[in-house]
Amino acid sequence: MSVFVRTPPLRVLWVLLAALLVAPVHFAGARAQPADPEREQVRAIALKAAELIAVRGLDAAAAAFNRDGEFRHGALYVTVIDFAGVWKVYPPRPAGVGMSVINVKDPDGRDIVRDILSVARDAGEGWVDYRWLNPASDRIEAKTTFVKRVPGQDLVAYVGLYH
């Protein structure tokens, strides 16, 4: 014997209406990322940087990343780390190259380097969000970084954007 519970029609209508109102918000938030020219620029630079490393090698690519031009302008620059979390290219502070940053955390305690490496290993590319000191404003701000694993290598190129 099955038991059927009758739901009042008005309640069903309210549930359906609520679902229709919430659905566009849910699906909009589930998209990879909203189309934003700055985000697309960051993504394009990181993809091009990883390709340059794959084709020309890290040393030649590092020279391009460290000088002002298509890979470095304003607050945008390419950082490269290996899978051990060691800086291979870091334009804001070239003296830091060779330093392990595997345990670096953001002000909220998030393991940002481990998150970057996880995205590179698991998906090959993607976005990582965290908070970091913006040197332009001298304030902790939200930062979004696009991560790209260098094809065929245990290297990761990434570019971040403050917002």
Side-chain angles (χ1 to χ4, degrees), residues 58-59 62 66 79-82 84-91 93-102 104 155 158:
L58 182 59
D59 291 337
N66 282 312
T79 299
V80 180
I81 58 174
D82 65 16
V86 174
W87 269 336
K88 296 301 184 180
V89 177
Y90 188 58
R93 201 173 104 213
V97 170
M99 190 171 119
S100 175
V101 291
I102 192 71
V104 170
L155 294 172
Y158 57 96

Side-chain angles (χ1 to χ4, degrees), residues 133-141:
L133 178 66
N134 183 339
S137 69
D138 200 31
R139 294 179 13 179
I140 301 294
E141 296 179 10

Side-chain angles (χ1 to χ4, degrees), residues 51-148:
E51 183 64 25
L52 182 64
I53 296 168
V55 171
R56 297 203 40 224
L58 182 59
D59 291 337
F65 301 158
N66 282 312
R67 69 176 174 264
D68 286 340
E70 66 180 314
F71 294 103
R72 181 180 182 188
H73 48 89
L76 296 180
Y77 54 86
V78 175
T79 299
V80 180
I81 58 174
D82 65 16
F83 273 20
V86 174
W87 269 336
K88 296 301 184 180
V89 177
Y90 188 58
R93 201 173 104 213
V97 170
M99 190 171 119
S100 175
V101 291
I102 192 71
N103 293 317
V104 170
K105 298 178 187 294
D106 79 355
D108 300 323
R110 183 171 179 178
D111 287 315
I112 57 176
V113 175
R114 292 179 196 277
D115 288 350
I116 287 168
L117 290 172
S118 178
V119 167
R121 279 190 192 111
D122 298 345
E125 66 182 54
W127 295 96
V128 176
D129 295 315
Y130 52 97
R131 293 179 346 111
W132 202 246
L133 178 66
N134 183 339
S137 69
D138 200 31
R139 294 179 13 179
I140 301 294
E141 296 179 10
K143 188 169 186 179
T144 298
T145 294
F146 188 80
V147 174
K148 174 64 179 163

